[in-house]
Amino acid sequence: MSLSAMINRPAALLLAASLGLAACGPGQVFDGGREVGSQIDEGGFGNPTMNNALYHTGRLQYAEVLAQRFAQEVPTTINFAFNSAELDPEARAILQQQAAFIRNFPEVRFSVYGHTDLVGSAAYNHRLGLRRARAAVHYLVSLGVERSRLDALVSLGETQPIVATEAEERRNRRTVTEVTGFVQNHPLVLDGRYAQIVYRSYAGSGSSGTE
């Protein structure tokens, strides 16, 4: 489908995205890593006005649409062995897919969040989550992703388990890569051409040829 057709297409899509802004769950982040609704009680003057302007100019909707597209087209999560931050072959293969997508959208920022299971102390698990996030980011950079576009190495430790259990649980030992927002000084962003970014055609690739 042509870019113009795709840009003209999404009246319904953008409406759905804008309707979903008030209802999206935890973990869905927008520009600057702020969750939807956080601007309502942020304790400072001006941010609600700024976010309102971003919403009405389409920036927040486009960030959400791109986040949904990333989650639909690329596996966003990798898992780890118990008490380990080592990337296994499956994790590397998934990160290669993520890198291919990220390289195709140089105007977009991403964050990597590290998680652990509930075994061990909170302090140790926070450090382990950070090691896992760093391992994922370092591998993405080795695959040609600009480090400056990977916003944060964030450890959520044991605080957001997928499976609530005190036992070892592989599904909780993970990193998650998410769309954070847009690169501020990129020409397309400065021109407000978010649709051209979001609806760019993307051909997935399982490997960059770099190890």
Side-chain angles (χ1 to χ4, degrees):
M1 181 181 298
S2 68
L3 176 61
S4 59
M6 297 183 77
I7 292 175
N8 292 330
R9 167 182 106 175
L13 180 60
L14 290 181
L15 176 61
S18 62
L19 290 174
L21 286 173
C24 51
Q28 291 181 300
V29 295
F30 293 90
D31 192 74
R34 298 173 61 85
E35 293 184 7
V36 171
S38 62
Q39 70 272 19
I40 295 175
D41 185 21
E42 40 68 47
F45 180 77
N47 280 335
T49 300
M50 177 190 70
N51 280 277
N52 186 59
L54 293 176
Y55 176 85
H56 285 291
T57 57
R59 182 169 178 173
L60 292 184
Q61 296 103 308
Y62 282 122
E64 169 63 2
V65 171
L66 186 58
Q68 292 176 353
R69 179 178 176 184
F70 179 62
Q72 290 168 357
E73 298 185 14
V74 178
T76 60
T77 301
I78 62 173
N79 296 102
F80 294 83
F82 179 70
N83 196 31
S84 173
E86 296 294 323
L87 301 174
D88 62 19
E90 180 181 1
R92 288 173 179 264
I94 290 173
L95 290 172
Q96 288 166 13
Q97 294 180 62
Q98 291 183 14
F101 187 102
I102 294 171
R103 291 194 308 268
N104 199 63
F105 293 88
E107 309 87 353
V108 181
R109 302 197 314 264
F110 294 78
S111 287
V112 177
Y113 299 86
H115 300 262
T116 71
D117 59 25
L118 296 175
V119 179
S121 71
Y124 180 81
N125 284 337
H126 184 272
R127 293 192 299 270
L128 179 57
L130 187 59
R131 285 167 50 207
R132 288 172 174 166
R134 285 174 174 165
V137 166
H138 290 166
Y139 191 62
L140 289 171
V141 171
S142 78
L143 297 172
V145 176
E146 299 92 337
R147 177 64 183 84
S148 61
R149 292 201 296 119
L150 298 171
D151 266 352
L153 293 171
V154 180
S155 175
L156 298 175
E158 61 185 34
T159 62
Q160 294 186 5
I162 292 177
V163 180
T165 175
E166 298 292 331
E168 297 179 18
E169 175 52 60
R170 179 175 174 82
R171 283 171 291 180
N172 291 337
R173 303 192 299 264
R174 68 200 191 277
T175 66
V176 181
T177 306
E178 296 183 359
V179 171
T180 303
F182 295 96
V183 176
Q184 297 298 317
N185 61 353
H186 193 280
L188 290 182
V189 174
L190 292 174
D191 290 343
R193 295 160 67 183
Y194 300 113
Q196 184 172 334
I197 299 169
V198 172
Y199 299 110
R200 178 181 301 140
S201 61
Y202 164 68
S205 172
S207 174
S208 72
T210 304
E211 281 293 341

